[in-house]
Amino acid sequence: MEDAQPLVPGQTKLVKAKTRRGKRYLEARAPKAIEDAKRALFLYGNQTSQVIKDVLTDLFQLKRLEGQKFTRKNENVRPFETGGETSLEFYCNRSNCPLFVLGSHSKKRPHNLVLGRMFDFRLYDALELGVDDFKAIKDFGAAGTAAQMGNKPCIIFVGEKFESVPALALAKSLLLDFFRGEQVDRINLAGIDRVVMAVAVDDTRLQLRQYAIRFKKSGTRIPRVVLTEMGPHMGLSVRRYRLPPSDMQQEAMRQPKLGKKKQKNVSSDLLDGKVGRIYMPKQNMDTLGLSKYKGTKRERRDSAREAAEARKRPKSAEQQATAPAEE
């Protein structure tokens, strides 16, 4: 796969595949009008705590089909420091993960959780959260295994702070990208078996809950819906956040023009199909070069031969007598 390496950040040379396998690899990672489900990279910082390990384990369990988890510590991964995003961009590029979840623990920032995104495998934005209250999925018993892996959840955001506060608006966008999965046009309602709820308590605190959906008998055709908490149960506080640069945001929000390009003087008809209108300038038939058929060429040759034979014939006596008079 050496011939199918993708572009690294800052590289301007276009890498072309030399094998069919490398071509398929590059096509899978190429930009698309409708993107695939975003993969997430889970990794640890220099120091961690047992709470952060349990948080990353539960989040990875929710994102197992579109995620990758590192088990070793990473000292040089610091998204909020200058130059600290280089190693993170390299890991995300190698793993093909535009999302990342970084867990760390220190005396200044205990139980620290960082959510972030990449654009073109460059750090786009990041949000630092502190885990104040946590209850793992395994603590809810059988309710924690009620949902089936791979199903799309119903995501609910409660509170007007998600629209007015920049940090919580960024948290809403990140959580939507994290839990949304693959974009689809239609969905079977029977496949929605869990609800992810985010509640904005105030400007700097939010709560994250997940509930399993159970259908009970109601005596009618519409069942009675019962929500049972299944975990993870988290209380989060906003610490630091990093918004994307304006030029990168403008580039990331650019969308291709879908649909066929309108053609001038071309329409469609149910009977004739594609119908076009052509405008021709005025033409002079005398000077217009037309194709000559073989029949017309033969007639010209015969007339030319008869004229030549007539000039070669001797003149009669009457023609010789009248010739001086005409002169």
Side-chain angles (χ1 to χ4, degrees), residues 58 61-62 135-148 193-195 209-213 227-233:
D58 286 359
Q61 183 176 348
L62 300 177
K135 193 175 180 181
I137 296 177
K138 61 183 180 181
D139 297 334
F140 291 90
T145 59
Q148 185 177 357
D193 52 6
R194 59 193 176 99
V195 175
R209 306 285 189 268
Q210 185 172 218
Y211 300 92
I213 299 177
L227 299 181
T228 305
E229 190 171 2
M230 58 174 292
H233 175 108

Side-chain angles (χ1 to χ4, degrees), residues 302-313:
D302 294 343
S303 60
R305 186 170 56 254
E306 292 177 359
E309 292 177 355
R311 288 195 297 270
K312 292 180 181 180
R313 285 196 208 115

Side-chain angles (χ1 to χ4, degrees), residues 176-217:
L176 278 176
D177 276 354
F178 187 83
F179 291 107
R180 179 174 54 185
E182 187 175 356
Q183 299 185 31
V184 295
D185 297 331
R186 295 178 296 176
I187 188 171
N188 187 3
L189 294 179
I192 301 178
D193 52 6
R194 59 193 176 99
V195 175
V196 178
M197 179 181 293
V199 182
V201 180
D202 52 27
D203 294 351
T204 60
R205 290 188 303 163
L206 62 96
Q207 296 177 354
L208 188 64
R209 306 285 189 268
Q210 185 172 218
Y211 300 92
I213 299 177
R214 298 183 183 275
F215 299 101
K216 302 290 184 178
K217 294 182 179 180

